Amino acid sequence: MTRLIAECSGRPGPWKIAAMVLSLALGMAAGADSLANFSRFSEPERTLRLRPDDAMALTTAEDRRRALVDPTATDIPVMATIARTALRSEPLTPVALRQLAVAEVMAGRQASSDRLLDLAHRLSRRELGTSWLLINRSLDQGDAAGLARSFDEALTTSAGAAELLSPALVDGLFDEGVRGALVPYIRSDRPWMPAFLRSAAAGPDAVSNTALMILAAGGLPDTPRYADTDAYVLTGLAARRDFPLAARYLRKAVRLPAGFTTNGAVGPASLDSRAGPFGWRFKDGAEGSALAGDGNAIIVRAEADRRVPVSDRILLLAPGRYALNLRGEVPDGRAPATAEVALRCIGSSTTDLIVGPAVIGTTSGPVNLPFAVPADCPAQRVEIVATGKAIDGEGELTLSDWRIDRL
């Protein structure tokens, strides 16, 4: 965690920014769990005019004030006085103990601050400000396990904690120690983890670290709550063009056969929704659609005189010469459609691999499409575009016997 701690102690980084965002919300979060105390929380200044020593109003007003202006050394006596006044009114108030802990650490009394913070934590596991200070203490101490434990507790017990804390935790995933500390929480299927992982996978800077963390956990728990998480991760890796890690993730985390990204077939692996963009994706629109047919086939449909992209997937072919083989046939009794099959490199100067693109018509004969993958083409996108040839209504074409052969 050395790099992570250094980033926190130096120039403002993602964790410091997250701390500022959190501080702005502490005034809104404090006391929100108690409807009976709503007026003391929502209008603390008004409450203080009636009851100057009201603990909740004092601490809420102080949180809101510090959310706007960071405390300085000259503020220490004021902070301590407010916190002690609140404690005299309502002894063992967690927020007041947390605020007093801040005043103590700013005065250089770390041991006293730690005792107050631990007491606040024992009194309430739902006080978000205390959780955040515990997280920062773990950072200062290089305690990745303690950091993960505090995040887990806050995200499990505090309403609104996910919105406030998850971005900071996502930003911390670059640190291997943090990722390793979170692995047990993936394996134990903590309730906040699925949403957190989807959020992390959506960030272009965090998706690779998210994938590495899931790989370290040996994959995701086999529960419905994670049903779309693998696809989120793989979509993010594809967008980042981190194809070597995507291939490893497909093999080790999703546990799909390694060859499915190179054979072009329409089978169980390439139709598995967990594969994300590395499996066949079918569109279902008013002007055209596609779906998997029986066996190794894709059925494409398009309205008359409409040319519509209906299906695509990503392949991971090594450099070399290949041939894409398939067969096109209009089912008996159906109006005709044609299909264009294009194969293009992703993330390289080479564009079309199958020049044309190849048009597959109504013949039932086999189609052989040779192509070459250059060295600067780490991944390839197959796309099917359907065109309706009916005079009126929808045309249909079945594309079967998909196979890629190395020449």
Side-chain angles (χ1 to χ4, degrees):
M1 292 181 66
T2 305
R3 178 183 167 195
L4 185 57
I5 295 166
E7 185 167 318
C8 288
S9 59
R11 60 180 176 79
W15 284 75
K16 280 193 176 290
I17 292 169
M20 286 184 267
V21 172
L22 178 72
S23 69
L24 290 172
L26 280 177
M28 293 182 289
D33 292 322
S34 176
L35 292 177
N37 292 319
F38 182 75
S39 64
R40 300 162 71 197
F41 158 71
S42 62
E43 298 181 281
E45 291 80 7
R46 181 180 179 183
T47 301
L48 289 172
R49 287 196 294 269
L50 300 173
R51 296 193 300 275
D53 61 347
D54 185 281
M56 176 172 284
L58 281 167
T59 54
T60 299
E62 177 67 5
D63 270 345
R64 292 182 179 181
R65 184 161 46 250
R66 298 308 169 193
L68 299 174
V69 180
D70 288 335
T72 64
T74 57
D75 296 316
I76 295 173
V78 176
M79 294 172 60
T81 297
I82 291 172
R84 290 189 175 103
T85 300
L87 289 170
R88 282 195 296 271
S89 173
E90 293 185 25
L92 303 180
T93 301
V95 180
L97 289 167
R98 182 251 296 166
Q99 292 174 349
L100 189 56
V102 172
E104 287 292 280
V105 77
M106 289 183 66
R109 294 186 285 272
Q110 184 67 57
S112 173
S113 176
D114 286 341
R115 287 193 296 272
L116 289 164
L117 191 59
D118 290 336
L119 177 57
H121 181 236
R122 287 197 299 273
L123 289 169
S124 175
R125 304 299 171 94
R126 303 173 66 87
E127 209 287 294
L128 200 51
T130 300
S131 296
W132 183 248
L133 291 180
L134 289 170
I135 288 167
N136 276 276
R137 187 171 73 179
S138 295
L139 282 171
D140 292 339
Q141 296 172 352
D143 181 8
L147 179 144
R149 186 166 55 250
S150 293
F151 267 111
D152 173 61
E153 187 174 81
L155 292 169
T156 302
T157 61
S158 299
E163 182 178 354
L164 297 172
L165 297 182
S166 289
L169 189 54
V170 168
D171 287 337
L173 291 181
F174 71 82
D175 186 273
E176 185 177 358
V178 173
R179 295 199 304 269
L182 289 173
V183 162
Y185 297 94
I186 295 177
R187 291 174 176 163
S188 61
D189 191 17
R190 298 299 294 152
W192 53 271
M193 186 59 76
F196 169 73
L197 292 176
R198 287 193 293 273
S199 174
D205 296 330
V207 63
S208 295
N209 293 323
T210 304
L212 289 172
M213 184 171 63
I214 295 172
L215 282 165
L220 296 171
D222 186 16
T223 66
R225 298 193 310 119
Y226 289 95
D228 55 358
T229 306
D230 287 320
Y232 268 95
V233 173
L234 288 164
T235 297
L237 292 175
R240 192 176 175 83
R241 295 177 181 174
D242 194 344
F243 297 115
L245 182 55
R248 181 181 163 200
Y249 191 93
L250 285 162
R251 187 174 65 255
K252 298 290 188 179
V254 190
R255 300 184 184 89
L256 292 176
F260 96 93
T261 57
T262 60
N263 62 25
V266 186
S270 64
L271 296 174
D272 192 320
S273 62
R274 297 175 301 162
F278 297 90
W280 284 107
R281 299 185 295 186
F282 302 124
K283 298 179 181 178
D284 184 12
E287 296 186 341
S289 62
L291 71 159
D294 293 336
N296 186 11
I298 295 174
I299 300 168
V300 301
R301 295 169 180 154
E303 290 294 318
D305 296 325
R306 294 290 189 269
R307 182 177 178 275
V308 188
V310 292
S311 185
D312 69 347
R313 68 169 296 194
I314 294 175
L315 297 172
L316 299 174
L317 296 166
R321 295 182 56 80
Y322 299 86
L324 172 61
N325 296 279
L326 67 155
R327 180 186 298 270
E329 184 175 7
V330 176
D332 292 340
R334 300 290 296 177
T338 62
E340 301 166 34
V341 178
L343 183 63
R344 298 183 175 92
C345 282
I346 300 174
S348 80
S349 57
T350 307
T351 306
D352 291 340
L353 301 181
I354 296 175
V355 179
V359 178
I360 301 172
T362 60
T363 176
S364 62
V367 178
N368 180 273
L369 304 171
F371 63 94
V373 175
D376 64 345
C377 183
Q380 310 81 35
R381 186 182 304 281
V382 183
E383 184 178 39
I384 303 172
V385 179
T387 301
K389 295 299 183 180
I391 298 174
D392 187 30
E394 187 179 66
E396 184 175 307
L397 180 70
T398 298
L399 302 172
S400 60
D401 301 336
W402 288 80
R403 190 180 77 254
I404 294 177
D405 297 323
R406 184 104 188 223
L407 301 181

